[in-house]
C-alpha cells in the first residue's frame, strides 16, 4: 500500500470505508475513514493546514451541515486537491466490522477494531455495535491473535502495579458464551457468523 502510494507521487493517502452493502453508512460517516490517513511532509502542507483549521473550527461526533467529526471534511479532497490525493484502490486492504462480510480476512493489510472495548475481569466486548456481524474466519484469524497480544499488554501493564479501568460496565446487557475465545470459535464452526456480535469473551 505504501509502496504504491510512493510511486504515485501523491501527498495524501486516503482509505475508504468500503462498506458492505448492508452496513452502508456513507450518508452519515462519509466515503473516507480517518483510520490510516498518511501525509508526505511538506508536499501535503496545503490540505493539512486547511484540515487543521476546519477541525479547530468544528469537530464533533455528530452530523451537522454536511460535516461529521474530522473525516467529513475529506469528502471533496479528490476534487479539491486532485493529484495530491491517492485513494487506496483495494477496499479489502483496510477492513473493519462494517465490511468484514464483504471481504475475505486474508485480503486485509490492517484491521480497524471498531467497537472493541475492555470490560472488567480481563474480559473484552468484541463489538459494541449490534448491527455488525463478525464472520467466523475473522474471529479466528484476526480477533484471536489480536486478543492474545492484548492480553500480554494488559498483564505487562498490571505487572507494574497499574490498573486498567474498564471501558464498558461488565453489567451491560451483553451475552457471555463460554470461558474463552477458543471454545467460542469451536462452537461457531459450521456457521459463518458469531452467535452474538456483542458477546463478551475472556482474554486468553
Amino acid at each position: 500500500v505504501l509502496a504504491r502510494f510512493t510511486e504515485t507521487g501523491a501527498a495524501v493517502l486516503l482509505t475508504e470505508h468500503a462498506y458492505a452493502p448492508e452496513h452502508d453508512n456513507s450518508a452519515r460517516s462519509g466515503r473516507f475513514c480517518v483510520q490510516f490517513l498518511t501525509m508526505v511532509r511538506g508536499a501535503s502542507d496545503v490540505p493539512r493546514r486547511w484540515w487543521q483549521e476546519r477541525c479547530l473550527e468544528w469537530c464533533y461526533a455528530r452530523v451537522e451541515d454536511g460535516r461529521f467529526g474530522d473525516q467529513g471534511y475529506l469528502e471533496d479532497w479528490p476534487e479539491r486537491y486532485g493529484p495530491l490525493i491517492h485513494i487506496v484502490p483495494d477496499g479489502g486492504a483496510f477492513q473493519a466490522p462494517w465490511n468484514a462480510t464483504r471481504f475475505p480476512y486474508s485480503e486485509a493489510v490492517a484491521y480497524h477494531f471498531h467497537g472493541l472495548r475492555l470490560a472488567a475481569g480481563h474480559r473484552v466486548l468484541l463489538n459494541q455495535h449490534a448491527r455488525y456481524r463478525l464472520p467466523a474466519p475473522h474471529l479466528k484469524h484476526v480477533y484471536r491473535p489480536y486478543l492474545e497480544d492484548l492480553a500480554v499488554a494488559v498483564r505487562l501493564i498490571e505487572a507494574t502495579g497499574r490498573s486498567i479501568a474498564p471501558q464498558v460496565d461488565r453489567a451491560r446487557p451483553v451475552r457471555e458464551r463460554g470461558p474463552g475465545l477458543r471454545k467460542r470459535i469451536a462452537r461457531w464452526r459450521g456457521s459463518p457468523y458469531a452467535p452474538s456480535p456483542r458477546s463478551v469473551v475472556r482474554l486468553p
Side-chain angles (χ1 to χ4, degrees), residues 5 9-12 39-48 81 83-85:
F5 172 48
V12 179
M39 295 187 174
V40 177
R41 189 185 301 273
S44 63
D45 283 353
V46 171
R48 179 186 56 77
Y81 298 113
L84 290 180
I85 306 301

Side-chain angles (χ1 to χ4, degrees), residues 68-171:
F68 177 74
D70 56 356
Q71 64 192 25
Y73 295 115
L74 309 177
E75 292 300 287
D76 69 346
W77 277 25
E79 295 75 32
R80 182 189 293 267
Y81 298 113
L84 290 180
I85 306 301
H86 172 67
I87 303 168
V88 175
D90 181 4
F94 290 86
Q95 296 185 23
W98 57 74
N99 63 21
T101 59
R102 180 180 174 187
F103 304 106
Y105 79 90
S106 56
E107 292 183 7
V109 172
Y111 191 85
H112 186 146
F113 289 90
H114 179 71
L116 187 146
R117 297 290 184 269
L118 287 171
H122 286 177
R123 286 176 166 80
V124 172
L125 176 63
L126 291 181
N127 189 351
Q128 68 179 151
H129 305 285
R131 65 184 179 275
Y132 297 133
R133 304 297 289 178
L134 301 172
H138 280 72
L139 289 162
K140 179 177 180 180
H141 298 287
V142 179
Y143 279 81
R144 184 169 72 184
Y146 179 75
L147 292 183
E148 289 172 350
D149 288 343
L150 181 61
V152 171
V154 166
R155 291 184 174 103
L156 284 173
I157 293 171
E158 291 177 339
T160 68
R162 298 175 182 268
S163 61
I164 300 176
Q167 296 172 294
V168 294
D169 188 340
R170 183 177 170 183

Side-chain angles (χ1 to χ4, degrees), residues 1 13 15 24 28 31 48 50 53 60-61 63 75 85 90 97 99 106 141 151 160 162 170 199-200 204:
V1 171
L13 179 148
T15 60
D24 191 353
R28 181 179 190 275
R31 174 185 175 187
R48 179 186 56 77
W50 181 89
E53 291 169 0
Y60 299 95
V63 177
E75 292 300 287
I85 306 301
D90 181 4
N99 63 21
S106 56
H141 298 287
T160 68
R162 298 175 182 268
R170 183 177 170 183
S199 294
V200 171

Side-chain angles (χ1 to χ4, degrees), residues 48-66:
R48 179 186 56 77
R49 287 171 180 160
W50 181 89
W51 191 34
Q52 177 183 3
E53 291 169 0
R54 300 294 79 72
C55 289
L56 289 173
E57 291 171 358
W58 188 97
C59 189
Y60 299 95
R62 63 174 183 261
V63 177
E64 185 176 306
D65 297 331

